[in-house]
């Protein structure tokens, strides 16, 4: 069983920064078995993929956040992070941490699918960017 808890959301002005964290609680599972990802959903919009990271640190980003967001993970701490910089009002959304059991890689994960193949989700943390 896997439980995910996000933290670090908040309200910032455009151009600001935030760092999201996600801590995974694992029962009879290993964090390193999971491809981890950040997803977001704005009101009235479908959920979209933001970034993924494999157990070995290979990353993939949505075009909309490339160069502004950085995903990272600490396997020793069962933790996932999303450093967000140069935030824009269009980044306003609920951000979710998610896990997919792949025994490590994120190969084949398509961000545009919005995480339909991810089996574990956190409760989300709100990010609001004002202009």
């Amino acid at each position: 069983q896997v439980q995910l808890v996000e933290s670090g959301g908040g309200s910032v002005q455009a151009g600001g920064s935030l760092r999201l964290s996600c801590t995974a609680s694992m029962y009879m599972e290993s964090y390193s078995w999971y491809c981890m990802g950040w997803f977001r959903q704005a009101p009235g919009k479908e959920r979209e993929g933001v970034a993924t990271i494999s157990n070995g640190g290979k990353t993939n980003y949505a075009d909309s956040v490339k160069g502004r967001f950085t995903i990272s993970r600490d396997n020793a701490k069962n933790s996932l992070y999303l450093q967000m910089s140069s935030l824009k009002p269009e980044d306003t959304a609920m951000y979710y941490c998610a896990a997919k059991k792949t025994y490590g890689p994120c190969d084949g994960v398509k961000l545009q699918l919005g995480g339909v193949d991810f089996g574990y989700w956190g409760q989300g943390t709100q990010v609001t960017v004002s202009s």
Side-chain angles (χ1 to χ4, degrees):
Q1 186 175 359
V2 176
Q3 292 185 327
L4 304 173
V5 178
E6 304 96 334
S7 62
S11 297
V12 296
Q13 290 192 327
S17 299
L18 279 175
R19 187 186 192 223
L20 306 184
S21 298
C22 171
T23 300
S25 296
M26 301 266 169
Y27 178 70
M28 301 296 288
E29 297 282 337
S30 174
Y31 185 65
S32 64
W33 293 350
Y34 287 82
C35 166
M36 299 298 296
W38 286 100
F39 298 82
R40 66 186 182 186
Q41 188 167 21
K45 295 188 177 181
E46 292 188 353
R47 190 174 63 204
E48 62 176 352
V50 175
T52 59
I53 185 168
S54 71
N55 67 338
K58 183 178 179 181
T59 59
N60 186 35
Y61 295 92
D63 288 343
S64 60
V65 306
K66 280 181 181 177
R68 300 188 298 121
F69 290 10
T70 301
I71 188 172
S72 61
R73 65 189 288 170
D74 186 334
N75 290 336
K77 296 181 178 180
N78 287 6
S79 294
L80 179 72
Y81 307 99
L82 185 68
Q83 178 66 48
M84 305 184 294
S85 302
S86 302
L87 283 161
K88 304 175 181 180
E90 51 263 44
D91 294 318
T92 295
M94 185 72 78
Y95 282 71
Y96 298 92
C97 165
K100 179 181 180 181
K101 191 171 185 177
T102 65
Y103 294 97
C106 294
D107 298 347
V109 172
K110 298 180 180 179
L111 289 172
Q112 61 267 35
L113 295 181
V116 293
D117 50 347
F118 279 66
Y120 299 98
W121 292 84
Q123 82 289 350
T125 186
Q126 178 68 38
V127 172
T128 302
V129 185
S130 58
S131 58

